[in-house]
Amino acid sequence: MKNHRNRIVSLTALSGILLVSVAVYSRTQEPTEPVIVQAASADLARRAVEGVGGAVTHELSIIRAVGAELTSHQRGAIARMSEVRTYDDRPVETSSDDSDSDSDQESDSSHSGSGTSSVELVYAADTSFQDTTVPTVIDAAAQHKLGTLGRGVTVAVVDSGISPNGSGWPWIQRNTMREPRILVTYDAIRGTSTTRIRDSNGHGTHVVSVIASSRKSNNAEPRTYNGIAPDVDLVIVKAFDSEGRGRYLDVIRGIDFVVANRQRYGIRVLNLSLGAVPQSFYWDDPLNQAVMVAWQAGIVVVVSAGNWGPDPMTVGVPGNVPYVITVGAASDAVTSDPADDFLTSFSGAGPTFEGFVKPEVVAPGGHVLAQIDPWSRLAQAFLSWLSGDSYFYMSGTSQAAAVVSGTVALMLDADPGLSPDEVKCRLMDSARPAVDAQGELAYSIFQQGAGIVNATDALASTALGCANRGLDIELDLTGAQHYQGRANIDADGNYYVSGLDGYLWSGGYLWSDGFAWNDGFAWNDGFAWNDGFAWNDGFAWNDAFLWNDGLTQTMTVGDWVEQE
């Protein structure tokens, strides 16, 4: 019996060795892919990955998930587990037009710094003082003169990093008092805090410069500044490579870092000048889930609408999250006259797939001058857009979002007690919609939302309770309830807003009824896009990217309804 039992033990051990060998062989032979694995907790997600022999790459506690490298067989095994879900690790783009050559712009010679063919010549030729015009356009310059500069507010920027410290970059690295103001830099690609992150792409530096440059403008005293909020503190998160490419895993890990350290660094604003094409309902997207947690945690999240416009339903992820402030882009027509400003052709437009009006506001995003490293990829690729030693013209909803992030910082400097919902309400309440000579809307609310931001009016607004009404973010995050907006479509494929008598105005261009067009309703709770005009079968999400069976939501792209 003893020998027989030993033989059984030996066979069992051998069987285990063979199984392990097969598993190891399978892992080495079958290619892996990056995957987001979500469960009731990040620890359970980790155990699910390790249980099938996968490798954990990212800790994503913010959405109760981990990132992992899995074979198709391993992912299939996890998919069969109860209460565990997997998502593709999708690409994310920065929301700027690299070439700045959109049809909204004039020719290069009308506004390039020198048109020279090398960075060395451009750099050496810089003898002029560089002024940016955006703070004046949105009336932030008036707040600078009053001493409202964003002091005491920390803005986190998830992007391609920031140019290194040095004599050429004091206006980004330091505030108006020449005090260091970068509190921490975090590399979300590697998952490590670091004292130095180089922005080899250039996009992140440009965005930060729009928000926070402390370089004085060349005007009479009291001086104003090139950045919207020149005294803010900064948390810099790198999630994009030298080509401006990012992915869900790194961006979510960057947001996780921001939320986890919000109290330590006093983070009140999160700028996300990035986006991806929606592939699911807003609540079923892992990047959106991370953004919603940030908003719930008390951080004002400002997101670019994306550069896939001007057609309807072109707002990207995470701009399609109903809670956040989504920003479209306006252009200055390469003049200083605000009367000829217009909405850029690339700016993403609503409604969202769930019927919410987006963007909430628009801001200058065409022909924006800000700092960039002249040796970065963007500067080297588009030399004619360099101006002087380190300034660069760039267009995109990225720049528009940066303008709004700076404006929000000014609002929080003036009134630190404002909640994210209150900031959003006052920003919309004070926006100025574009109208024609007859006083009618020049653009649909699906294109411009409440209109272009104005910093002075935003700080003066006392509006309350006009944003995110009817929405409960806690229920949304737990899955107990989801929401839809008022947008509808008629028999001819035209979009409109249900329950309103046209686009009514009152009180000096204030939207009537406190922005009722932005209210939310419980999903499938008696408001399933009434009158029988539910989104129809002309616009299916790509089946290859569907994350959940039975979630295909379709729509026919129709014409704009600018007035009713």
Side-chain angles (χ1 to χ4, degrees):
M1 284 294 294
K2 183 177 180 180
N3 290 339
H4 180 62
R5 185 159 46 221
N6 287 341
R7 189 179 301 114
I8 293 175
V9 171
S10 299
L11 288 173
T12 303
L14 178 60
S15 176
I17 293 171
L18 288 173
L19 287 173
V20 171
S21 299
V22 169
V24 171
Y25 178 79
S26 176
R27 287 201 302 272
T28 57
Q29 294 300 307
E30 187 178 356
T32 62
E33 60 180 356
V35 177
I36 299 169
V37 180
Q38 186 179 64
S41 69
D43 182 60
L44 289 175
R46 167 184 283 278
R47 282 192 270 171
V49 170
E50 293 173 344
V52 298
V56 173
T57 60
H58 294 65
E59 295 288 343
L60 307 175
S61 298
I62 190 170
I63 59 169
R64 312 181 317 280
V66 297
E69 286 288 336
L70 299 174
T71 68
S72 61
H73 287 89
Q74 290 168 341
R75 184 171 183 178
I78 288 178
R80 292 189 291 273
M81 296 180 183
S82 176
E83 305 301 324
V84 181
R85 304 178 62 194
T86 64
Y87 300 91
D88 294 333
D89 178 27
R90 299 182 56 222
V92 188
E93 302 176 8
T94 56
S95 297
S96 290
D97 175 24
D98 287 355
S99 66
D100 205 8
S101 59
D102 185 84
S103 59
D104 301 323
Q105 306 296 327
E106 300 292 337
S107 64
D108 289 5
S109 61
S110 67
H111 53 75
S112 63
S114 64
T116 53
S117 58
S118 73
V119 172
E120 291 88 346
L121 291 177
V122 173
Y123 198 97
D126 181 36
T127 57
S128 62
F129 200 98
Q130 296 293 297
D131 271 350
T132 59
T133 60
V134 172
T136 300
V137 170
I138 69 159
D139 219 17
Q143 296 306 308
H144 296 171
K145 294 179 180 180
L146 295 173
T148 304
L149 304 172
R151 198 163 185 84
V153 179
T154 301
V155 179
V157 181
V158 177
D159 214 293
S160 60
I162 194 172
S163 294
N165 196 9
S167 60
W169 304 97
W171 306 293
I172 291 179
Q173 302 286 342
R174 296 176 180 271
N175 62 22
T176 63
M177 304 298 292
R178 294 296 180 262
E179 301 164 336
R181 41 90 169 272
I182 297 179
L183 304 182
V184 66
T185 53
Y186 178 74
D187 189 335
I189 299 173
R190 293 180 173 84
T192 58
S193 295
T194 177
T195 57
R196 183 183 178 96
I197 292 181
R198 182 175 179 83
D199 177 16
S200 53
N201 176 262
H203 185 272
T205 301
H206 199 271
V207 165
V208 172
S209 179
V210 172
I211 296 170
S213 174
S214 62
R215 187 171 190 176
K216 290 183 178 179
S217 297
N218 190 24
N219 54 20
E221 294 288 353
R223 288 285 178 90
T224 61
Y225 298 88
N226 282 349
I228 305 299
D231 265 351
V232 295
D233 290 325
L234 294 167
V235 168
I236 304 299
V237 177
K238 181 180 178 67
F240 291 82
D241 63 17
S242 61
E243 299 298 316
R245 294 187 297 243
R247 59 183 187 149
Y248 267 44
L249 281 170
D250 296 337
V251 173
I252 295 172
R253 179 156 63 181
I255 297 172
D256 196 344
F257 176 84
V258 169
V259 174
N261 289 278
R262 67 191 184 282
Q263 294 179 330
R264 179 178 183 182
Y265 299 115
I267 300 170
R268 299 295 309 277
V269 186
L270 171 59
N271 185 89
L272 298 175
S273 292
L274 51 88
V277 177
Q279 300 290 348
S280 71
F281 293 126
Y282 74 82
W283 60 80
D284 196 43
D285 185 293
L287 176 52
N288 282 351
Q289 293 167 11
V291 166
M292 290 164 65
V293 172
W295 188 274
Q296 183 188 39
I299 299 173
V300 180
V301 184
V302 181
V303 183
S304 54
N307 299 341
W308 298 289
D311 291 336
M313 302 186 74
T314 52
V315 171
V317 170
N320 65 334
V321 172
Y323 302 93
V324 304
I325 300 168
T326 303
V327 187
S331 176
D332 64 2
V334 202
T335 75
S336 58
D337 181 6
D340 60 11
D341 292 358
F342 58 90
L343 196 72
T344 62
S345 65
F346 56 75
S347 188
T352 69
F353 288 97
E354 300 79 20
F356 285 97
V357 175
K358 289 281 184 173
E360 276 79 17
V361 294
V362 296
H367 180 243
V368 175
L369 181 65
Q371 277 193 282
I372 198 171
D373 184 343
W375 301 105
S376 65
R377 190 195 73 80
L378 287 177
Q380 290 281 294
F382 306 103
L383 290 169
S384 64
W385 296 96
L386 276 167
S387 179
D389 63 348
S390 61
Y391 281 79
F392 189 78
Y393 287 95
M394 199 181 301
S395 293
T397 54
S398 282
Q399 283 63 43
V403 171
V404 172
S405 288
T407 304
V408 170
L410 297 181
M411 296 171 68
L412 291 171
D413 177 2
D415 190 348
L418 292 175
S419 70
D421 284 354
E422 290 168 342
V423 168
K424 180 177 178 178
C425 172
R426 293 185 180 186
L427 198 67
M428 294 171 66
D429 172 69
S430 58
R432 299 176 177 178
V435 296
D436 60 23
Q438 288 72 44
E440 303 288 346
L441 286 178
Y443 300 99
S444 162
I445 61 170
F446 298 121
Q447 295 171 294
Q448 67 170 324
I452 193 164
V453 297
N454 182 277
T456 294
D457 290 347
L459 268 67
S461 175
T462 58
L464 293 171
C466 62
N468 296 340
R469 296 187 309 189
L471 306 178
D472 187 319
I473 197 167
E474 183 174 358
L475 293 179
D476 218 341
L477 283 168
T478 61
Q481 183 64 68
H482 303 302
Y483 302 95
Q484 61 190 51
R486 284 182 176 269
N488 211 324
I489 188 170
D490 66 20
D492 297 320
N494 298 313
Y495 296 98
Y496 66 97
V497 178
S498 297
L500 297 182
D501 184 16
Y503 301 140
L504 302 178
W505 305 85
S506 66
Y509 296 121
L510 291 179
W511 293 100
S512 68
D513 196 23
F515 307 102
W517 48 266
N518 212 43
D519 289 353
F521 294 85
W523 187 261
N524 289 331
D525 186 16
F527 191 80
W529 293 300
N530 58 11
D531 297 331
F533 298 125
W535 309 143
N536 54 38
D537 295 332
F539 190 94
W541 285 322
N542 188 335
D543 289 342
F545 290 99
L546 275 180
W547 284 328
N548 268 331
D549 292 337
L551 284 182
T552 304
Q553 180 74 2
T554 61
M555 172 176 277
T556 297
V557 176
D559 299 325
W560 291 110
V561 175
E562 297 187 357
Q563 304 164 37
E564 286 190 50

